[in-house]
């Protein structure tokens, strides 16, 4: 009886802990936003409007490259594989969950080729001419708390002969929806550097920028934690910013004893986690993989990694995958890199 009672208590505790874990909300939610987009190849009036009939549009999952779908034609540029470019439209609806209604909502694009313009519920968010760099827009003030919200993206690749390599056309990389608290780390603002490195010790420097969009005047604690590849904490630092600060940039030093240096033979990485606290609660966190190594270029002796002279070897490769275009599945890159590595080890060259 006692044994069964104890087992029952343990089971109840497991259920309770699992339930709390299931309902616990992270400080920052990053949601892959690739499913259930609608696509129209060509230009069309009023596709940016919230009220627009897109029922006949093709449904697809991102990433997507419409150029690789063809057809081949001599009217297009030889440098971009005689494949069509032009203009394309994408649309997608989203609903804001109750848990996200107090958050700031952002739409993050890894890459759109090119001249992308984005609308939310008919409100123009901006244009990104460059087709190779990521960008994001804040949606918060234009969202309907209940009901559907409509995202529209126009991609203009009318200048098809714009490159000497195949670029593809469309939203060819991942899209994410980000839900963050009003006190949050700015995008692309966690910088990790290693101004001092030796075999016995190193000093890392973490620079963090954040913004406070809330009405709270509480002080902000910024904490940086460094763990090794086994999950063991090896260094920690923090900085407190006074109350009433709307935005700030802080610098934190992280001393590390006996760092394991990254090299091609031993590619050791550490995990950096940056957290924002206010009133004792975590408001935001960002995690990155980082490493320690020294790199020196000498005009007479060449390149040195961690004090060791070595040749820099590489290949000339673009971002497409042949008949798959530029919307390249992750497995293609894994296969390519594994072949390159195997042939370097076997032959010293990617060619047998």
């Amino acid at each position: 009886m006692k044994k069964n009672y104890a087992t029952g208590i343990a089971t109840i505790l497991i259920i309770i802990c699992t339930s709390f874990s299931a309902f616990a909300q992270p400080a920052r939610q990053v949601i892959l936003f690739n499913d259930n987009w609608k696509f129209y190849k060509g230009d069309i009036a009023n596709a940016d409007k919230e009220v627009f009939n897109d029922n006949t549009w093709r449904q697809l999952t991102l990433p997507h490259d419409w150029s690789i779908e063809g057809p081949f034609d001599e009217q297009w540029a030889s440098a971009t594989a005689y494949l069509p470019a032009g203009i394309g439209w994408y649309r997608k609806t989203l609903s804001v969950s109750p848990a996200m209604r107090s958050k700031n909502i952002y739409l993050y694009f890894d890459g759109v080729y090119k001249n992308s313009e984005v609308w939310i519920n008919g409100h123009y968010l901006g244009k990104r001419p460059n087709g190779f760099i990521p960008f994001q827009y804040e949606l918060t003030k234009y969202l309907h708390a209940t009901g559907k919200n409509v995202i529209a993206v126009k991609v203009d690749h009318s200048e098809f002969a714009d490159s000497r390599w195949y670029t593809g056309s469309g939203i060819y990389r991942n899209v994410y929806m980000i839900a963050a608290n009003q006190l949050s780390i700015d995008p692309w603002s966690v910088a990790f550097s290693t101004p001092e490195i030796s075999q016995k010790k190193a000093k890392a420097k973490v620079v963090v920028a954040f913004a406070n969009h809330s009405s709270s005047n509480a002080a902000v604690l910024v904490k940086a934690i460094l763990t090794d590849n086994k999950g063991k904490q090896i260094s920690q630092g923090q900085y407190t910013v006074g109350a009433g600060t709307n935005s700030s940039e802080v610098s934190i030093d992280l001393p590390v004893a006996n760092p394991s240096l990254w090299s091609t033979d031993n590619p050791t990485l550490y995990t950096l986690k940056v957290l924002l606290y206010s009133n004792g609660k975590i408001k935001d966190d960002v995690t990155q993989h980082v490493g320690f190594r020294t790199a020196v270029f000498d005009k007479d002796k060449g390149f040195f990694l961690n004090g060791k002279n070595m040749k820099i070897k590489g290949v000339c490769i673009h971002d497409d995958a042949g008949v798959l275009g530029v919307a390249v599945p992750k497995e293609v890159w894994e296969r390519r890199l594994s072949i390159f590595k195997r042939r370097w080890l076997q032959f010293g060259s990617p060619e047998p």
Side-chain angles (χ1 to χ4, degrees):
M1 288 293 292
K2 289 184 178 179
K3 183 178 180 180
N4 291 338
Y5 176 78
T7 303
I9 292 294
T11 303
I12 291 171
L13 288 173
I14 291 172
I15 293 172
I16 291 172
C17 290
T18 304
S19 299
F20 274 116
S21 298
F23 288 100
Q25 294 292 329
R28 170 185 292 246
Q29 292 177 268
V30 180
I31 303 165
L32 190 63
F33 208 60
N34 286 347
D35 295 337
N36 301 317
W37 285 82
K38 290 188 174 182
F39 172 70
Y40 178 86
K41 185 178 177 182
D43 201 2
I44 187 168
N46 300 317
D48 58 314
K49 306 303 182 187
E50 183 177 3
V51 180
F52 177 85
N53 187 353
D54 57 16
N55 290 336
T56 60
W57 288 23
R58 171 184 165 194
Q59 187 162 318
L60 52 76
T61 298
L62 302 178
H64 172 239
D65 172 10
W66 81 68
S67 286
I68 200 64
E69 298 170 1
F72 293 94
D73 196 297
E74 289 184 356
Q75 68 176 304
W76 309 117
S78 60
T80 50
Y82 295 107
L83 283 165
I87 293 175
W89 280 89
Y90 298 85
R91 284 170 61 91
K92 178 180 170 73
T93 62
L94 71 93
S95 298
V96 182
S97 67
M100 290 187 179
R101 288 172 192 168
S102 62
K103 305 279 189 178
N104 286 358
I105 309 297
Y106 303 88
L107 197 61
Y108 179 101
F109 295 84
D110 264 339
V112 182
Y113 203 89
K114 63 176 188 173
N115 293 313
S116 65
E117 296 179 89
V118 183
W119 291 261
I120 176 71
N121 295 330
H123 296 278
Y124 185 69
L125 297 175
K127 182 175 182 177
R128 174 64 68 180
N130 190 290
F132 297 112
I133 59 175
F135 57 95
Q136 77 173 34
Y137 297 111
E138 184 173 358
L139 312 181
T140 314
K141 64 181 180 179
Y142 303 117
L143 289 173
H144 305 314
T146 59
K148 298 293 185 181
N149 295 273
V150 179
I151 297 167
V153 181
K154 180 182 180 181
V155 184
D156 188 345
H157 191 190
S158 300
E159 295 179 349
F160 58 90
D162 61 347
S163 176
R164 62 178 179 82
W165 62 84
Y166 178 78
T167 64
S169 302
I171 308 178
Y172 70 100
R173 295 179 184 166
N174 291 329
V175 179
Y176 299 89
M177 184 173 72
I178 301 172
N181 287 314
Q182 292 186 340
L183 173 62
S184 60
I185 297 169
D186 292 340
W188 312 290
S189 69
V190 176
F192 178 88
S193 61
T194 52
E196 297 179 20
I197 300 179
S198 70
Q199 293 287 347
K200 294 184 178 181
K201 64 179 181 178
K203 184 177 79 172
K205 182 179 181 181
V206 180
V207 177
V208 184
F210 68 88
N212 187 359
H213 302 286
S214 72
S215 58
S216 172
N217 289 322
V220 177
L221 173 65
V222 186
K223 184 179 291 186
I225 301 172
L226 194 65
T227 56
D228 63 18
N229 56 8
K230 296 180 180 178
K232 179 182 177 182
Q233 181 176 312
I234 61 168
S235 190
Q236 176 181 307
Q238 61 186 48
Y239 192 99
T240 300
V241 180
T245 301
N246 293 324
S247 62
S248 186
E249 182 177 280
V250 302
S251 178
I252 299 172
D253 290 335
L254 296 177
V256 177
N258 304 311
S260 180
L261 303 184
W262 183 96
S263 70
T264 53
D265 297 323
N266 183 35
T268 302
L269 292 177
Y270 293 80
T271 300
L272 171 70
K273 189 166 187 175
V274 177
L275 305 103
L276 293 187
Y277 291 84
S278 180
N279 292 320
K281 296 180 180 179
I282 297 177
K283 295 298 183 179
D284 200 5
D285 63 272
V286 171
T287 300
Q288 295 181 352
H289 292 300
V290 297
F292 294 85
R293 88 289 182 270
T294 63
V296 176
F297 290 88
D298 185 277
K299 66 180 181 65
D300 297 316
K301 299 179 181 179
F303 174 70
F304 291 80
L305 178 65
N306 300 326
K308 181 181 178 181
N309 183 245
M310 64 184 300
K311 300 291 185 183
I312 297 179
K313 302 175 182 178
V315 295
C316 180
I317 185 169
H318 291 291
D319 61 336
D320 67 292
V323 296
L324 297 178
V326 294
V328 183
K330 179 181 176 182
E331 292 78 9
V332 170
W333 290 113
E334 291 175 344
R335 177 180 178 273
R336 283 177 166 179
L337 293 171
S338 64
I339 292 173
F340 287 153
K341 184 174 182 179
R342 184 170 68 249
R343 288 186 172 175
W344 278 122
L345 294 174
Q346 186 176 1
F347 303 107
S349 167
E351 299 297 329

